[in-house]
Amino acid sequence: MVYLWSNIKDFSFDQLQGSVNEALEEGGAIMGTIYQEVLERGKEIGVKEGKEIGVKEGEEIGVKKGEEKNKLRVALNCIMKGLDIQTIAEITDLPVERIELLKNAAGVRE
C-alpha cells in the first residue's frame, strides 16, 4: 500500500479505486474483529457484574428472612411463656396481627 501511494501517478483510476476498496474491506474486517472482541468483553463484564449484584441481593434477602424467622421464633417462645400480645409486639417489632396469627396457629388459648 505504501508503494502504491508513493507511485500514484503510475496507476489508473480503476486500479486506485480497487486498492482503496481493498483497504476499506481490510479495515472493515479489522474493525469488525475489534467490535466483536469489545462486545464479548462487554458481555463478560456484564455477566460478572450481574452475578455480583445477584449474590449481594441474595445475601440481603437471606439476612432479612433470617431476621424475620428469628423474630417469629422469639414471638412463639414468648407466647408459650404466656406473655401478652402487646408486649411480644414490642419485643419483636412484629405487628400484633401477625402475633395473633402465630398464637392461633400454635393452638394457644388464653
Side-chain angles (χ1 to χ4, degrees):
M1 194 64 149
V2 172
Y3 175 77
L4 170 72
W5 291 112
S6 64
N7 298 310
I8 198 165
K9 296 176 196 170
D10 298 337
F11 294 92
S12 70
F13 177 77
D14 289 339
Q15 289 173 319
L16 291 173
Q17 187 176 17
S19 294
V20 168
N21 288 338
E22 183 180 318
L24 289 173
E25 287 175 12
E26 287 177 15
I30 292 169
M31 290 305 294
T33 301
I34 292 170
Y35 172 78
Q36 288 299 323
E37 289 178 16
V38 169
L39 185 63
E40 288 301 315
R41 182 65 180 135
K43 285 179 185 178
E44 290 172 10
I45 291 169
V47 167
K48 181 181 177 189
E49 289 178 0
K51 286 179 180 179
E52 289 172 359
I53 290 169
V55 167
K56 184 176 181 178
E57 288 177 359
E59 288 173 350
E60 290 172 2
I61 290 169
V63 167
K64 287 179 183 178
K65 284 185 176 183
E67 289 172 351
E68 184 71 13
K69 188 174 180 179
N70 189 48
K71 286 180 181 185
L72 292 171
R73 184 183 56 76
V74 170
L76 184 58
N77 286 340
C78 290
I79 289 168
M80 301 308 281
K81 296 282 185 183
L83 270 66
D84 66 280
I85 291 177
Q86 189 59 42
T87 301
I88 298 170
E90 291 172 12
I91 291 170
T92 61
D93 290 326
L94 290 171
V96 170
E97 298 81 19
R98 186 89 188 263
I99 297 167
E100 288 172 346
L101 288 172
L102 184 61
K103 184 175 180 178
N104 291 336
V108 176
R109 307 269 184 245
E110 291 189 38

